[in-house]
Amino acid sequence: MSIHDDLLVDIAEKVESEQSNQMPITVVVPGAVITGRLAPEAVWKARVAEVLRDSERLKPFAELFEPSGADARRGAERSRPTHLHLHLARILQGSYGLPDTGGMYRVAIAEVSSWTLGELSYSDE
């Protein structure tokens, strides 16, 4: 059984309740350091769905990220967040951030071994 960091869960819960996508965070997970901004799950899913709808090849997958009645029911049942949803996020590899434009990452809170508020800087050169 994994032990959750209650403070990190509290931060994720606050992001969800405030519907804010401005909280910068850097997390360490197995095999990666990811830096970006936390977003509410619904906002994150809407953005992923938008990107998928814009792709002819990936358009059929967009519906998986669009709001549904099941999401609303699960949201009412869910007591605390289990995942972090990052946008404008980059995996730090040496002095580079990948991808260049930032991506959308969903990270299980149970997998986070350490974290800090704020985004780490990196070089795009």
Side-chain angles (χ1 to χ4, degrees):
M1 182 169 121
S2 43
I3 299 172
H4 294 266
D5 181 326
D6 287 333
L7 182 55
L8 185 56
V9 174
D10 289 344
I11 292 167
E13 197 168 53
K14 185 73 168 172
V15 167
E16 289 291 335
S17 70
E18 298 291 327
Q19 291 296 294
S20 168
N21 62 357
Q22 298 302 308
M23 173 57 78
I25 193 166
T26 300
V27 297
V28 177
V29 296
V33 175
I34 305 171
T35 192
R37 292 188 187 165
L38 287 175
E41 182 175 5
V43 172
W44 183 88
K45 281 183 169 181
R47 178 65 182 127
V48 172
E50 180 182 315
V51 170
L52 293 172
R53 276 193 307 274
D54 289 344
S55 168
E56 282 304 313
R57 290 182 304 133
L58 301 175
K59 190 180 290 189
F61 294 96
E63 70 185 46
L64 297 173
F65 293 87
E66 292 169 349
S68 70
D71 282 341
R73 284 190 301 281
R74 273 196 304 262
E77 295 168 3
R78 187 178 298 154
S79 59
R80 310 247 7 229
T82 58
H83 290 77
L84 302 175
H85 296 86
L86 287 87
H87 71 114
L88 302 174
R90 292 176 173 85
I91 294 175
L92 299 180
Q93 186 68 34
S95 60
Y96 297 99
L98 305 169
D100 291 339
T101 57
M104 306 292 285
Y105 293 96
R106 177 178 161 110
V107 177
I109 292 172
E111 293 296 321
V112 175
S113 61
S114 61
W115 57 274
T116 186
L117 294 180
E119 293 178 67
L120 294 182
S121 60
Y122 56 89
S123 171
D124 283 336
E125 298 175 11

